[in-house]
Amino acid sequence: MSLDLWAAFALGLVGSGHCLVMCGPLALALPRRGRQGFALHLSRLVYNLGRTATYATLGLLFGALGQTVAIAGLQRALSIGLGITLLGLAIVRGHRGGQPPRWMSRLFFVVQSKLGKQLRASQDAENRSATLALGPPFAFGFLNGLLPCGLVWAALAAATALGSATQGAV
């Protein structure tokens, strides 16, 4: 196993407590009425596959960005530009009492409202039918992967630095 995969594993292991506290309540909000045994575990597996699909897709995109930047010879300029951007965001948040910029707040609101709609859709599908509907848990997991998270941002920065779309996805 490559050093990059070990680093990703270590990031996940160290950050698991954070993930448990921040995203655990979302996972617990998934409906379980009438689901026991296999059906309950399958629903949770599909939810986590949705999150994994988001992270792999984002890693693929950011890895491809890093690959493109490396080919164009702009890696140093991108690194400096992103560093300045992160410092600028920190300064803006400091001046606004810790609040993110408005555009970022709007983006978070859109993702949160979509999450709420998917959760309601999942509960409605469960109330209407005795069959196991896997679409809503997958969509809920996929949207959960889009919520702002410093650990995900660190992983995406690493995917960009790898300079490979496939390695970024992994």
Side-chain angles (χ1 to χ4, degrees):
M1 192 178 328
S2 74
L3 186 59
D4 300 326
L5 288 178
W6 280 112
F9 176 77
L11 177 68
L13 188 63
V14 169
S16 61
H18 165 82
C19 296
L20 180 67
V21 172
M22 297 304 289
C23 290
L26 291 173
L28 290 174
L30 285 169
R32 61 176 291 148
R33 184 179 148 264
R35 292 185 183 168
Q36 297 176 12
F38 178 75
L40 178 63
H41 295 303
L42 181 62
S43 172
R44 296 310 187 254
L45 175 67
V46 169
Y47 160 75
N48 283 300
L49 285 174
R51 287 186 322 114
T52 303
T54 301
Y55 300 143
T57 302
L58 289 172
L60 180 91
L61 293 173
F62 278 76
L65 172 67
Q67 188 173 3
T68 303
V69 167
I71 290 171
L74 300 173
Q75 183 69 36
R76 180 181 293 171
L78 178 67
S79 297
I80 292 170
L82 288 175
I84 290 170
T85 301
L86 288 175
L87 286 173
L89 283 173
I91 291 169
V92 167
R93 285 190 72 163
H95 281 75
R96 297 189 70 216
Q99 295 298 315
R102 285 188 186 95
W103 66 267
M104 198 178 280
S105 295
R106 285 187 202 121
L107 177 66
F108 299 160
F109 177 76
V110 168
V111 172
Q112 289 171 340
S113 64
K114 298 250 186 236
L115 269 171
K117 287 179 185 176
Q118 279 303 312
L119 184 58
R120 284 189 295 280
S122 182
Q123 291 168 340
D124 291 345
E126 198 166 286
N127 289 336
R128 282 192 311 266
S129 170
T131 62
L132 180 62
L134 297 178
F138 182 86
F140 190 72
F142 193 87
L143 288 169
N144 184 10
L146 295 175
L147 287 174
C149 175
L151 292 172
V152 172
W153 294 343
L156 292 177
T160 305
L162 289 173
S164 165
T166 54
Q167 287 183 331
V170 171

